[in-house]
Amino acid sequence: MAEETENENNLVPANDRIVKINIEDQMKSAYIDYSMSVIVSRALPDARDGLKPVHRRVLYGMDGLGVASSKPYKKSARIVGEVLGKYHPHGDSSVYDTMVRMAQHWSLRYPLVDGQGNYGSLDGDPPAAMRYTEARLRKMAEEMLADLKKDTVDFQPNFDDSEEEPTVLPTRIPNLLVNGASGIAVGMATNMAPHNLTEVIDGTIAYIDNRDIEISELMQFIKGPDFPTGGIIYGHNGVRDAFETGRGRIVMRATAEIETTKSGKEIIIVTEIPFLVNKADMIKRTVDLINEKKIEGISEIRDESSKDVRIVYEIKRDSNANVVLNNLYKHTSLQSSFSVNNIALVKGRPVMMNLKDMIQVFVEHRHEVVVRRTKFELAEAEKRAHILEGYLIALDHLDEVIKLIRSSDTPEDARIGLIEKFGLSDIQARAILDMTLRRLTGLERDKIKEEYAELMKTIEYLRQILDDESLRYKIIKDELVEVKEKFGDERRSVIVHSAEDMTMEDFIDDEEIVITISHNSYVKRTPLSDYKRQGRGGKGSIGSNTRDEDFTEHIITATAHNYMLLFTEAGRCFWLRAFEIPEGSRTSRGRALQNIINVPKEEKIKAFILVKNLKDQEYLENNFIIMCTKQGTIKKTSLEAYSRPRANGINAININEGDQLIEACLTSGTSEIVMALRSGRAIRFNESTVRPMGRTATGVRGITLSSATDEVVGMISLNNPESTVLVVSEKGYGKRTDIEDYRITNRGGKGVKTINVTDKTGELVAIKDVTNDEDLMIINKSGIVIRIGVDTLRVMGRATQGVRLITLKENDEIASITKVVREEEEEIITDEEGENLASDSTEQTENNED
C-alpha cells in the first residue's frame, strides 16, 4: 500500500507539467501564427513605402554603413554581414538576392542600389558571389531614407533587442506604385506592376488637389504600368480593371519591327521583351517550336544583344513576316501576361487596393512624416534658441559673468552662481561655461545675434506649418515636384489598343436608323435620312423590293447602339444590337433574321422593344415589359428579368394553345394601357391593375373579344400627356383621337368604339400613340412606303371613320405603321413618278376624303 502511494506521489509533478490540448486547435493556432508572420514580416510590402522587411533592412543597413551614392562602393559581403548581423536573422542568400534585385535595371523600374560587378543578366545568368561584387545606395534610395533621423517614423527593436530598426521608411518616393512588388504569402499573394515616376507624381498631386477625384480622372495622369524592360502593353481593359479593382490581367508584347535586308529578305528585329521574361529561355523555346513545326517561316534566329536587346528572326522567302510575328506572339513569350493583384499591408492588415487607395495611403504617410519632422525640427530649434538666449544674456553682462566665473571655486559653483544671478536655466548655464574665449570677440557676438534672429524666423515658420494643413500639403507637393525633376523620365512601355478593347460600338456612329423586317423575317437597317417626309395622301416611295409574295411587316426607328429585345409569336425573347443588323439600301431585301440570331424557323418575330442598355441596375429594376396576346391576355414583368442575353433566347411569356404574342411595350410601371381589337373597339386601363409576374407566367385578361373571329391588333402604353391615339385601318384610313375620349374602365372589359369600321375603311390594323412632333411611316403589302407628319392629321372623335392616309392600289392593304422623330426638312409631296406636286394638294386631298 505504501508503495502505491509513493508511485502516485511521483506522478503528481509529471501531471502538473503536461497540459492536454486538442491537436486540431493547436495546429490551427500555430498555423495562423505562422501565416500571419509570413504575411506581415516577409511576403507582403507595406503600402506606405512599398517595401518588404528585407528590402527595408538592406537599405537601412547600407545607410548605417555610410555607403551613400557619393561614397566609395563597399563589398557586398560587408553589407550582407551588416544586415544579417543586426536586422535580418535569416540566410545570407535572401539578403544578397534582395540587394542584387534592387540593383538590376531590368528587375526594378527605378533601381535603389548601385551595383558594381556581375549582377546577372536578362538571360537569367546568376550574379557573382557576394565577395566579388560591390554596392552602394542610389540617390533615389537616399530620398526614401531622407529625414529618417528626425523622428519621422516609429522604430522597433531588432531580433535580439540590441539595435533598433525602422518599421517603415519616410520615403519621398511613392515606391509601391513606382517599383511595384511581388510576393507569395500564406493564402494570398501580391503582384504589383511598376509605374512611371513622372506620371505617378502628377497623379498624386492631382489627388492632393482634389480628394474626390475619380479613378478614371487619375488615369488621365497615370496611363498604365511602365515596365523596366519597356515593350508594349496590349490593351486598355486589363489596365482599367487593375486600377479600378486592384486585379487585372495586363497583356505584354515585345517591341518588334519588320525590316527588309539588301538581299530582299524580311527580318523581324525584337528590341524590347516583356517584363520578367528570360531571354535565353524564350529563344530556346522558340527554336524547339520551330523544330516541332508549330512555328513555320523562320530560317534563323540570332541573339545580337549587347547592353541593349536585339533578337533577329530571319524569315523564309516564301513566308509572310506579319504572319510569323503573330505566331511568335501566340506561341512564345514574346507575348506574356502580368496578372495584377494589388495586396499590400495597411496598418498591418493585408488589403486589396485600387489606384486611388495606393495614392491615398502614400499621401497620408507623407503628411504624417511632414508633421513629425516639423515637430522634431521645432523642438531642436527651440533648444538651440534657448541656448542662444543664454549666450546673449551672458554677452550683455560679459564683465559680470567673467568676474563670477573667476571668483568661483569650482565649475559647479560657477553654474549655480550664473543660474541664481542671471535667472538662467541649467542648460544655458552649462552652455555659457562651455563657451570658448573666441566667442567673446565682437564678430562672434554678431554671429550669435544673427543666428538667433534667423532661428526665430524658422521657429515661426515651423509653427505655421503645424497650424496650417494646406501649407503641409503644399510642402508635400513641392517635395514631389523636386523628386520628379530629379528622377522623372519618359515612359518605356507603350500602351496600344487591342482587339478586345475595340468593340463594334467604337467603329459605328450612334446614328438614327430605320430597321425593317419583312413578313418572311428578312431584316435590314437603313439610315433614317434616306426617307424624305411627304404630305398626307401622297403615293409614297419604294421601301423595299418584294420577292416571292414577301412584304415589309415591321418598321422600327432606333439608334445604332440600342439593344433590341425581339419577341416571337410563341412568347420567346431574343437580343440583338441594332448595329449588328446588316445595312441595306432602301430597296434591298435584307438578310434572313435566322442568319443573325437563333430564332426557330417556325417562329415569327411579332414585337420589338428598344432598350438603351442592359447594365444599369436602377434602370432595369424600375422599368417593366408589358406583353399582350391576340386573344386579349396581358402580362407585366420587370425588365431586369430580360437583362441577361442568351444565344438561344428565353421564355418571355407562356402562350396558350391557339394564341399568339402580338405586342410588347416598355413601361415605367405607372402608364395607361390601351388595347385595340380588329373589330374597331379599344379598352383603356391603368397599368397598376396588372401585377408583375415571372417570365414563365401566362398573364391575365386584358380585353374581352367581341366575337370568335375578333382579335387584338395592338397595344400602346401612354406616358406623355400630349399624346393622342392614332388608329389605322387596312384600307388606308386613319385618325387621331384624344385619349380622354377613351374612358378608363376595368381591365378585362369589352372596350369602346375607336373607329367606325366600314367596307370603305376595312378592319383595324394598328394603334399607336403619337404627338405633333412625330412623323408616320406607313408601308403596305406591296412594299410602298410613305412618310407623313402627324400634325397633318387633325384630332377627331372616336366614332368617325377618319381620313385617307395613303392611296392604295386595288387589292393592296396596309401592312405596318410606325412613328419616327420629326426632322426639320422641307415638306415635299411626290406623285407616282416622283415629281413634286403643289403643296395645296394636301389640303385638297383632305377635303375630298372628309
Side-chain angles (χ1 to χ4, degrees):
M1 190 76 181
E3 200 173 300
E4 282 180 16
T5 307
E6 189 180 342
N7 288 339
E8 284 176 10
N9 291 337
N10 290 338
L11 287 172
V12 170
N15 285 337
D16 280 348
R17 291 194 299 271
I18 297 171
V19 179
K20 288 187 177 181
I21 59 167
N22 186 313
I23 190 168
E24 186 180 343
D25 294 339
Q26 174 60 25
M27 288 187 73
K28 276 183 184 176
S29 172
Y31 195 71
I32 287 170
D33 289 345
Y34 161 72
S35 61
M36 284 309 298
S37 173
V38 171
I39 288 167
V40 175
S41 303
R42 190 189 306 175
L44 299 185
D46 191 297
R48 295 168 293 178
D49 63 3
L51 297 175
K52 299 180 196 175
V54 65
H55 296 91
R56 196 176 298 118
R57 287 164 176 167
V58 168
L59 295 179
Y60 182 62
M62 291 177 76
D63 185 52
L65 270 178
V67 281
S69 59
S70 56
K71 301 288 178 64
Y73 294 93
K74 267 194 169 62
K75 280 284 184 190
S76 298
R78 173 74 179 85
I79 296 166
V80 170
E82 174 82 3
V83 175
L84 212 60
K86 288 185 176 179
Y87 312 115
H88 198 68
H90 301 280
D92 57 2
S93 62
S94 66
V95 177
Y96 184 52
D97 290 348
T98 298
M99 193 185 79
V100 164
R101 189 174 180 277
M102 287 198 289
Q104 290 173 337
H105 62 82
W106 61 90
S107 293
L108 257 64
R109 180 63 180 84
Y110 297 91
L112 301 174
V113 172
D114 182 8
Q116 184 168 266
N118 175 11
Y119 272 79
S121 73
L122 257 177
D123 289 330
D125 299 321
M130 67 179 86
R131 61 182 178 274
Y132 299 118
T133 60
E134 297 178 337
R136 63 183 177 188
L137 289 170
R138 285 187 180 266
K139 287 184 179 177
M140 185 173 271
E142 290 170 0
E143 293 290 345
M144 296 187 69
L145 293 155
D147 304 321
L148 190 60
K149 295 181 174 65
K150 293 186 177 180
D151 191 34
T152 49
V153 294
D154 293 333
F155 278 70
Q156 64 186 13
N158 70 341
F159 58 89
D160 63 357
D161 289 353
S162 61
E163 301 273 347
E164 285 206 322
E165 60 176 318
T167 55
V168 65
L169 296 186
T171 174
R172 293 184 183 184
I173 312 287
N175 187 59
L176 186 69
L177 271 165
V178 161
N179 273 325
S182 66
I184 300 170
V186 177
M188 64 184 71
T190 186
N191 202 33
M192 309 178 84
H195 296 79
N196 183 270
L197 179 68
T198 304
E199 293 180 359
V200 170
I201 287 177
D202 288 342
T204 306
I205 291 171
Y207 168 79
I208 293 171
D209 291 337
N210 174 22
R211 303 301 165 79
D212 297 324
I213 192 169
E214 296 291 328
I215 291 175
S216 57
E217 295 173 280
L218 283 172
M219 288 178 68
Q220 301 294 318
F221 301 96
I222 307 171
K223 309 294 184 189
D226 189 23
F227 297 109
T229 53
I232 295 167
I233 294 171
Y234 187 60
H236 285 83
N237 290 345
V239 174
R240 191 181 301 110
D241 291 344
F243 280 168
E244 290 178 351
T245 67
R247 294 180 72 113
R249 180 176 171 272
I250 295 169
V251 177
M252 304 176 294
R253 280 186 164 184
T255 302
E257 290 181 4
I258 297 171
E259 294 182 4
T260 305
T261 62
K262 291 178 182 177
S263 62
K265 286 183 74 174
E266 286 187 312
I267 57 171
I268 297 171
I269 300 174
V270 171
T271 52
E272 293 174 343
I273 62 174
F275 183 46
L276 301 178
V277 167
N278 183 310
K279 178 162 62 68
D281 286 352
M282 181 190 74
I283 293 170
K284 183 178 182 298
R285 176 64 183 147
T286 306
V287 171
D288 292 342
L289 289 170
I290 293 168
N291 293 334
E292 293 166 13
K293 305 290 184 186
K294 288 186 178 177
I295 296 178
E296 296 182 342
I298 298 175
S299 59
E300 186 182 357
I301 303 176
R302 294 192 305 275
D303 185 359
E304 299 178 354
S305 307
S306 53
K307 187 179 179 183
D308 298 320
V309 173
R310 182 180 167 88
I311 308 166
V312 179
Y313 299 81
E314 282 197 11
I315 310 301
K316 293 177 180 176
R317 291 192 183 276
D318 58 346
S319 298
N320 185 312
N322 280 305
V323 172
V324 173
L325 181 57
N326 285 330
N327 278 321
L328 287 170
Y329 283 143
K330 183 178 179 180
H331 296 291
T332 75
S333 300
L334 281 188
Q335 176 173 308
S336 60
S337 62
F338 187 95
S339 297
V340 174
N341 195 27
N342 292 336
I343 295 180
L345 295 174
V346 179
K347 297 178 181 174
R349 298 175 67 89
V351 176
M352 175 77 74
M353 308 178 79
N354 62 31
L355 177 63
K356 188 175 176 181
D357 295 335
M358 291 188 278
I359 291 174
Q360 180 184 346
V361 169
F362 171 74
V363 170
E364 287 172 357
H365 175 55
R366 278 306 296 166
H367 183 260
E368 185 185 349
V369 166
V370 168
V371 170
R372 290 181 64 161
R373 180 182 69 191
T374 305
K375 285 180 178 176
F376 177 84
E377 289 174 347
L378 179 61
E380 292 297 309
E382 286 174 340
K383 281 182 197 173
R384 180 63 181 163
H386 184 63
I387 291 170
L388 291 177
E389 284 167 358
Y391 283 168
L392 291 173
I393 291 170
L395 292 172
D396 288 341
H397 305 87
L398 189 57
D399 292 339
E400 294 172 66
V401 168
I402 291 170
K403 185 179 178 183
L404 189 149
I405 293 171
R406 288 183 65 184
S407 62
S408 299
D409 292 334
T410 63
E412 186 64 18
D413 292 340
R415 184 179 65 79
I416 294 167
L418 286 170
I419 291 169
E420 291 175 351
K421 185 164 185 178
F422 301 105
L424 300 172
S425 69
D426 182 62
I427 292 170
Q428 288 173 325
R430 290 179 186 277
I432 290 167
L433 290 172
D434 290 339
M435 280 177 76
T436 57
L437 289 173
R438 67 181 179 82
R439 303 300 300 271
L440 304 180
T441 62
L443 192 62
E444 289 292 323
R445 288 167 67 182
D446 290 341
K447 280 184 182 178
I448 290 170
K449 288 178 182 177
E450 284 174 18
E451 185 185 352
Y452 182 72
E454 286 295 320
L455 212 50
M456 294 314 291
K457 287 181 187 173
T458 303
I459 289 169
E460 185 184 351
Y461 175 64
L462 293 172
R463 285 176 177 160
Q464 194 179 341
I465 292 171
L466 292 174
D467 293 339
D468 187 353
E469 186 180 66
S470 61
L471 182 56
R472 296 198 291 273
Y473 281 110
K474 183 180 180 302
I475 290 168
I476 292 170
K477 289 200 299 187
D478 290 344
E479 288 178 353
L480 284 171
V481 169
E482 188 182 325
V483 166
K484 184 174 86 168
E485 288 171 354
K486 276 186 189 175
F487 307 109
D489 58 3
E490 296 294 321
R491 279 192 73 86
R492 292 183 189 171
S493 296
V494 179
I495 304 176
V496 300
H497 282 287
S498 72
E500 292 174 4
D501 291 337
M502 306 299 282
T503 62
M504 286 299 293
E505 292 153 88
D506 297 319
F507 299 101
I508 295 172
D509 187 25
D510 197 18
E511 64 176 349
E512 287 191 317
I513 57 174
V514 174
I515 298 168
T516 55
I517 301 177
S518 76
H519 182 72
N520 291 337
S521 295
Y522 280 85
V523 64
K524 67 179 179 183
R525 63 181 165 92
T526 312
L528 183 61
S529 56
D530 281 9
Y531 294 89
K532 301 295 183 185
R533 189 163 142 254
Q534 298 174 332
R536 181 178 60 79
K539 298 292 183 182
S541 57
I542 296 295
S544 65
N545 288 333
T546 54
R547 191 179 303 173
D548 303 327
E549 304 294 323
D550 196 10
F551 58 89
T552 301
E553 191 167 0
H554 301 283
I555 303 175
I556 312 108
T557 54
T559 65
H561 289 187
N562 282 161
Y563 278 88
M564 288 184 68
L565 271 60
L566 294 81
F567 296 86
T568 69
E569 60 191 6
R572 288 185 65 76
C573 175
F574 294 84
W575 293 263
L576 187 62
R577 296 302 292 273
F579 60 72
E580 292 173 345
I581 297 169
E583 187 168 355
S585 68
R586 206 175 59 195
T587 56
S588 65
R589 186 184 187 191
R591 189 173 172 193
L593 196 58
Q594 282 83 0
N595 293 341
I596 306 171
I597 56 175
N598 297 334
V599 179
K601 287 187 178 180
E602 65 275 8
E603 292 185 31
K604 283 187 62 181
I605 298 295
K606 297 295 281 186
F608 311 87
I609 287 177
L610 295 172
V611 181
K612 292 174 186 173
N613 69 65
L614 295 174
K615 294 179 182 175
D616 185 340
Q617 197 61 31
E618 187 178 346
Y619 175 76
L620 293 172
E621 290 173 358
N622 293 319
N623 284 278
F624 300 87
I625 290 177
I626 287 193
M627 290 162 277
C628 80
T629 72
K630 196 175 273 191
Q631 297 297 319
T633 300
I634 188 166
K635 178 189 163 190
K636 175 179 173 182
T637 307
S638 169
L639 177 60
E640 201 276 334
Y642 303 94
S643 63
R644 290 168 287 278
R646 293 184 197 164
N648 294 320
I650 58 172
N651 288 326
I653 181 173
N654 183 41
I655 300 290
N656 291 326
E657 190 175 348
D659 201 358
Q660 285 183 3
L661 177 74
I662 62 157
E663 189 62 80
C665 297
L666 187 66
T667 72
S668 60
T670 58
S671 304
E672 288 187 350
I673 304 298
V674 179
M675 297 172 69
L677 297 174
R678 180 170 283 278
S679 59
R681 299 185 70 83
I683 189 170
R684 175 188 175 196
F685 56 88
N686 199 291
E687 180 190 341
S688 58
T689 63
V690 185
R691 63 179 177 82
M693 304 176 189
R695 278 197 297 108
T696 54
T698 304
V700 294
R701 171 64 54 195
I703 189 170
T704 300
L705 306 184
S706 61
S707 68
T709 58
D710 202 5
E711 61 184 35
V712 177
V713 294
M715 173 188 72
I716 58 174
S717 67
L718 295 166
N719 293 302
N720 187 349
E722 296 180 7
S723 290
T724 52
V725 178
L726 169 79
V727 287
V728 180
S729 68
E730 61 189 353
K731 292 189 177 177
Y733 284 80
K735 63 165 184 184
R736 296 165 65 200
T737 307
D738 279 329
I739 183 63
E740 298 308 323
D741 280 12
Y742 298 85
R743 68 179 186 273
I744 296 178
T745 61
N746 291 329
R747 171 180 58 77
K750 290 188 175 181
V752 295
K753 185 181 281 190
T754 183
I755 191 170
N756 189 23
V757 172
T758 65
D759 291 340
K760 183 180 176 182
T761 63
E763 293 183 310
L764 199 63
V765 291
I767 180 170
K768 299 287 177 186
D769 58 310
V770 294
T771 67
N772 284 335
D773 298 329
E774 294 171 327
D775 289 351
L776 283 182
M777 290 183 70
I778 306 170
I779 192 159
N780 58 28
K781 292 182 180 179
S782 60
I784 300 293
V785 178
I786 186 170
R787 178 170 176 164
I788 64 172
V790 170
D791 54 0
T792 65
L793 297 171
R794 72 168 186 266
V795 178
M796 303 178 189
R798 269 194 301 109
T800 57
Q801 71 173 18
V803 295
R804 188 178 292 279
L805 303 180
I806 185 169
T807 304
L808 296 172
K809 293 178 182 178
E810 195 175 343
N811 297 325
D812 205 358
E813 292 180 351
I814 287 180
S816 173
I817 69 166
T818 189
K819 57 186 181 179
V820 297
V821 177
R822 171 70 49 80
E823 285 182 322
E824 291 301 323
E825 195 177 311
E826 182 186 354
E827 184 176 288
I828 59 169
I829 307 162
T830 60
D831 62 11
E832 285 180 319
E833 285 72 41
E835 294 180 3
N836 287 0
L837 299 175
S839 59
D840 61 0
S841 66
T842 306
E843 191 64 40
Q844 183 182 350
T845 307
E846 184 176 326
N847 292 336
N848 290 341
E849 298 303 335
D850 290 344

